[in-house]
Amino acid sequence: MRPTVHDIAAEAGVSLATVDRVLNKRPGVRAVTRDKVERAIETLGYVRDVTAANLAKGRTYPLVFIVPAGDNSFMRGLEVEVRAAIARSAAERTEITILSVPAFNPQALAEALEEAHRRQPAGVAVVAIDAPEVTAAVKRLRDDGIAVVTLVSDLPGSARDHFAGIDNIAAGRTAGNLIGRFLGSREGPVAVLAGSMLVRDHRDRLEGFQAVMRDHFGARALLPVIEGQDDAVLAEKLVAALLAAHPDLAGIYSLGAGNRGLVAALETTGKAGTICVVAHELTPYSRAALISGTIDVILNQDAGHEVRSAIRVLKAKADGLPVIAAQERIRIDIFLKDNLPNGQA
Amino acid sequence: MRPTVHDIAAEAGVSLATVDRVLNKRPGVRAVTRDKVERAIETLGYVRDVTAANLAKGRTYPLVFIVPAGDNSFMRGLEVEVRAAIARSAAERTEITILSVPAFNPQALAEALEEAHRRQPAGVAVVAIDAPEVTAAVKRLRDDGIAVVTLVSDLPGSARDHFAGIDNIAAGRTAGNLIGRFLGSREGPVAVLAGSMLVRDHRDRLEGFQAVMRDHFGARALLPVIEGQDDAVLAEKLVAALLAAHPDLAGIYSLGAGNRGLVAALETTGKAGTICVVAHELTPYSRAALISGTIDVILNQDAGHEVRSAIRVLKAKADGLPVIAAQERIRIDIFLKDNLPNGQA
DNA sequence: GAATTTTTGATGTACGTAAATCAAAAATGT
DNA sequence: ACATTTTTGATTTACGTACATCAAAAATTC
């Protein structure tokens, strides 16, 4: 049977109240006595029963999640995961509010951060946009003792406590390596379809991709980046124009969320399957395109992992506890047709 | 504030005792009354506080993990993860025992299962070997009401409740797809280095690999499978012989755990970097080889995920609760040099 | 409608910890 | 040695649920 506070009190020869004072760092204990208790804790191997402690404390963690609106499948999936976390909030002692903001709009995001601030939560998770007004709003939150975690897209150089997302430079490098090797000696240039250079994750992916292409596949031409604003209609138009202008196009790296338009353009022009396509985020659309062969590889970040990690980190930061970085790392999933999980998503 | 049993009692107009009878399916409640209570639960959105319930029950879950001994890095990593779970056992109400057995020895494994049986745990997790005496031992456990989960390597056709591991056929297919595409039009045969055909995971990987090579890369010759018994010395000897016999070898799929020997053979013969190598399991050795370019791709299963999943499933089965299959799926990680996590492992 | 059975209520204890109060004891200063 | 401050003990209540007991009320049987 694992030891309880009572056992420690007995072992140390002190009262329950003193053990409590030591455990909860309350004042009024002499150093000698504190030592006795700590030795008892050590020898008995006592570990506080966190669940009982939480029950007794009745502590809860009010959190705010700020997520971009719009029909971006990945972001909708992210929101589903936040709602799943809300469903678990009883067990996790969280009280989660979701704020929805227009995509790629720094001002609206800064205002949402202010709104979050007014609610005085223990922590805020935000899909960031790399802009000064956002950085400033984050700083105000932190100055007020509110923990801030960036989600999916980071805000480096800001006061945020943590970033819950993938290493996007590594993701871009991986995409470059795969496209380069899949194409092998095949001729033809490679294009990049992005969402917006306003968000850090897209910029980072591009940087990693370009670095690998330059360093390891220098012979292959890289076309100028296309920005599709993560909008299906716009992306389709741009990709169609691209295919017309470059009949010898060998590969496309889609680093944003415009996959529906990309796939539509490839399929209507009859180019599907002839061009090596690496895209991001596993959604019902991209999954179908991977199976049909229109997309060759999907790089994915697990939104559920990100949300759960963000919550763990926010709780820890709110309590002033350290975060085990290695445990909170979000991995880059690589899906080929052959290792696609047959479940949902 | 979330509702408690008291709130339900008030809402339903019954006593606390009656609510308790309904919640815990105790007898002595009229159908009408039960309905009243259930409606109150529904309208108030009550969810039982599992932590408080566990505290009150004082329930614990004695579990046994059976893991192969030897210097197999992956298995040692797995054991580390089990020990990490033991460190968490206070919070998770588990009492975990580890049994170590000689690798690839069905008889020893069957005996270990008997030993586990004698301890009368709530559940057993076992790295299985596909042999009749093992299947029989698993059946005896299940007949005695003890939950059984296979870990890493499955035992299909047995009475085990669940398999906590990756889809090894998919892993083999993925390896085949990657090798096939990476080699492109390059000439030369491909070899397979396995550990032992006694374990199901190796057989499945081979099956998936061969299927893809046959169906999509039919022109490429596949050499007969080499069995290295997951032993570094033996594997090195066999691979060195292979390289001597086939100077035009283009690729190697290492589906077992003999990577140390494989890498040593490639590096001493000066072939490192010239042959496309896909291997399994991220270990300090395979990681170094991936970085140096001796290995091109590592397929990995996260031992930590597998252990945690096995524990969740065993607890659920012990309580007769259903398991959400989608949530317990273990993914196949694909690591290139570019998306290698820079942490441990 | 009385006797019996079934259902419900009231109450208390327990799980392991947190937190508070008040009294008692020990240490400290002068 | 005294007053004063600090430290410690003893005790209680609470968190939300589980579980047991006994009495009271209601439903059922004949």
Side-chain angles (χ1 to χ4, degrees):
Chain A
M1 218 48 214
R2 65 188 279 219
T4 74
V5 278
H6 295 84
D7 300 321
I8 301 179
E11 171 80 14
V14 301
S15 77
L16 221 58
T18 302
V19 174
D20 180 70
R21 288 177 185 118
V22 173
L23 278 175
N24 295 294
K25 304 189 199 304
R26 277 185 254 279
V29 184
R30 274 188 305 164
V32 223
T33 317
R34 163 162 289 121
D35 279 357
K36 272 200 298 186
V37 174
E38 273 162 358
R39 254 180 294 119
I41 291 177
E42 182 70 26
T43 61
L44 292 186
Y46 169 82
V47 246
R48 173 199 252 109
D49 184 329
V50 193
T51 63
N54 282 338
L55 178 61
K57 276 198 282 228
R59 182 171 193 355
T60 60
Y61 302 81
L63 305 178
V64 176
F65 273 72
I66 304 178
V67 180
D71 67 347
N72 177 329
S73 298
F74 174 76
M75 291 304 171
R76 296 290 63 75
L78 187 77
E79 196 170 323
V80 166
E81 293 294 342
V82 179
R83 293 192 192 285
I86 291 176
R88 288 192 309 271
S89 59
E92 299 181 347
R93 315 198 83 81
T94 53
E95 291 164 10
I96 299 175
T97 308
I98 301 180
L99 295 183
S100 195
V101 293
F104 302 135
N105 184 335
Q107 195 128 31
L109 182 55
E111 278 163 28
L113 284 162
E114 285 306 321
E115 162 67 14
H117 196 159
R118 261 172 257 129
R119 293 169 182 253
Q120 287 291 315
V124 175
V126 56
V127 179
I129 296 174
D130 204 352
E133 57 265 55
V134 177
T135 306
V138 167
K139 175 146 176 40
R140 284 193 293 278
L141 281 163
R142 292 285 290 108
D143 285 346
D144 207 10
I146 299 172
V148 178
V149 165
T150 49
L151 197 61
V152 179
S153 192
D154 196 13
L155 198 51
S158 76
R160 97 280 190 280
D161 293 274
H162 178 81
F163 168 52
I166 60 171
D167 178 341
N168 283 297
I169 296 183
R173 295 184 61 90
T174 304
N177 196 339
L178 286 170
I179 286 196
R181 301 190 69 154
F182 277 12
L183 288 179
S185 55
R186 174 175 164 187
E187 301 272 316
V190 169
V192 176
L193 171 65
S196 162
M197 287 298 117
L198 261 184
V199 285
R200 188 71 189 209
D201 51 347
H202 290 198
R203 288 221 306 279
D204 284 350
R205 288 173 191 172
L206 179 63
E207 178 187 331
F209 183 75
Q210 289 177 330
V212 164
M213 293 308 284
R214 181 183 352 101
D215 298 347
H216 299 306
F217 306 98
R220 191 168 303 274
L222 266 186
L223 301 179
V225 178
I226 301 171
E227 283 190 54
Q229 303 299 322
D230 286 2
D231 180 89
V233 180
L234 179 56
E236 178 167 2
K237 230 176 61 183
L238 294 172
V239 173
L242 173 80
L243 294 174
H246 299 274
D248 62 336
L249 191 72
I252 299 180
Y253 175 35
S254 167
L255 58 76
N259 290 329
R260 229 175 308 175
L262 168 67
V263 169
L266 284 166
E267 290 181 349
T268 57
T269 56
K271 289 274 194 177
T274 70
I275 294 178
C276 179
V277 178
V278 175
H280 272 268
E281 317 314 356
L282 189 64
T283 66
Y285 303 97
S286 65
R287 158 188 285 273
L290 184 64
I291 291 170
S292 75
T294 304
I295 293 179
D296 294 273
V297 181
I298 291 174
L299 303 183
N300 186 62
Q301 52 188 321
D302 191 303
H305 286 183
E306 292 176 327
V307 169
R308 291 188 286 275
S309 173
I311 291 172
R312 275 195 303 273
V313 171
L314 286 175
K315 287 170 74 173
K317 293 291 180 185
D319 287 341
L321 298 175
V323 170
I324 304 153
Q327 198 186 313
E328 303 301 343
R329 186 177 28 246
I330 309 294
R331 281 179 310 189
I332 302 166
D333 294 327
I334 304 175
F335 291 115
L336 307 181
K337 188 197 289 202
D338 301 293
N339 68 328
L340 204 49
N342 34 17
Q344 71 298 38
Chain B
M1 218 46 214
R2 66 187 280 220
T4 72
V5 278
H6 295 85
D7 301 321
I8 301 178
E11 171 79 14
V14 300
S15 77
L16 221 58
T18 302
V19 174
D20 179 70
R21 288 178 185 118
V22 173
L23 279 176
N24 295 294
K25 305 188 197 306
R26 274 185 257 280
V29 185
R30 274 189 302 164
V32 221
T33 318
R34 162 163 289 124
D35 280 357
K36 272 200 297 186
V37 174
E38 274 163 359
R39 255 181 292 117
I41 291 177
E42 182 69 26
T43 60
L44 292 186
Y46 169 83
V47 244
R48 175 199 251 107
D49 184 329
V50 193
T51 63
N54 282 338
L55 179 60
K57 278 199 281 229
R59 185 181 196 341
T60 61
Y61 301 82
L63 305 178
V64 176
F65 274 72
I66 304 178
V67 181
D71 66 348
N72 177 329
S73 297
F74 175 76
M75 291 303 171
R76 297 290 64 75
L78 187 76
E79 195 170 323
V80 166
E81 293 294 342
V82 178
R83 293 192 192 286
I86 291 177
R88 288 193 309 272
S89 59
E92 299 181 348
R93 316 197 83 78
T94 53
E95 291 165 9
I96 299 174
T97 308
I98 301 180
L99 295 183
S100 195
V101 292
F104 302 134
N105 184 335
Q107 194 128 33
L109 181 56
E111 277 163 28
L113 284 162
E114 285 306 319
E115 162 66 15
H117 196 158
R118 260 173 256 127
R119 294 171 182 253
Q120 287 291 316
V124 174
V126 55
V127 180
I129 297 174
D130 204 353
E133 56 265 54
V134 177
T135 306
V138 167
K139 175 145 176 40
R140 284 194 291 279
L141 281 163
R142 293 284 291 108
D143 285 346
D144 206 10
I146 299 173
V148 177
V149 165
T150 48
L151 196 61
V152 180
S153 192
D154 195 12
L155 198 52
S158 76
R160 96 280 189 281
D161 293 273
H162 179 83
F163 168 51
I166 60 171
D167 178 342
N168 284 297
I169 295 183
R173 295 185 60 92
T174 303
N177 196 341
L178 286 170
I179 286 195
R181 301 191 70 154
F182 277 14
L183 289 179
S185 56
R186 174 174 164 190
E187 301 271 317
V190 169
V192 176
L193 171 65
S196 162
M197 287 299 117
L198 260 184
V199 286
R200 187 71 189 207
D201 51 346
H202 290 198
R203 288 221 306 277
D204 284 350
R205 289 172 191 172
L206 179 63
E207 178 187 332
F209 182 75
Q210 289 177 331
V212 164
M213 293 307 284
R214 180 185 351 104
D215 297 346
H216 299 308
F217 307 97
R220 192 169 301 277
L222 267 186
L223 301 178
V225 178
I226 301 170
E227 285 189 52
Q229 302 299 324
D230 286 3
D231 180 88
V233 179
L234 178 56
E236 178 168 3
K237 228 175 65 184
L238 293 172
V239 173
L242 174 80
L243 294 173
H246 299 274
D248 61 336
L249 191 74
I252 300 179
Y253 174 35
S254 168
L255 58 76
N259 290 330
R260 228 175 309 174
L262 167 67
V263 169
L266 284 165
E267 290 181 350
T268 57
T269 57
K271 289 275 193 176
T274 68
I275 293 178
C276 178
V277 178
V278 175
H280 272 269
E281 318 311 359
L282 188 64
T283 66
Y285 303 96
S286 64
R287 157 187 286 272
L290 184 64
I291 290 170
S292 75
T294 304
I295 292 179
D296 294 274
V297 180
I298 291 174
L299 303 183
N300 186 61
Q301 53 188 322
D302 191 303
H305 286 183
E306 293 177 326
V307 168
R308 291 188 287 274
S309 173
I311 291 172
R312 276 196 303 273
V313 171
L314 286 175
K315 287 170 75 173
K317 292 291 180 185
D319 287 341
L321 298 174
V323 170
I324 304 151
Q327 198 186 311
E328 302 301 343
R329 185 177 27 246
I330 309 295
R331 281 179 311 192
I332 301 165
D333 294 327
I334 302 176
F335 292 115
L336 306 182
K337 187 196 290 203
D338 301 294
N339 68 327
L340 204 49
N342 34 17
Q344 71 300 35

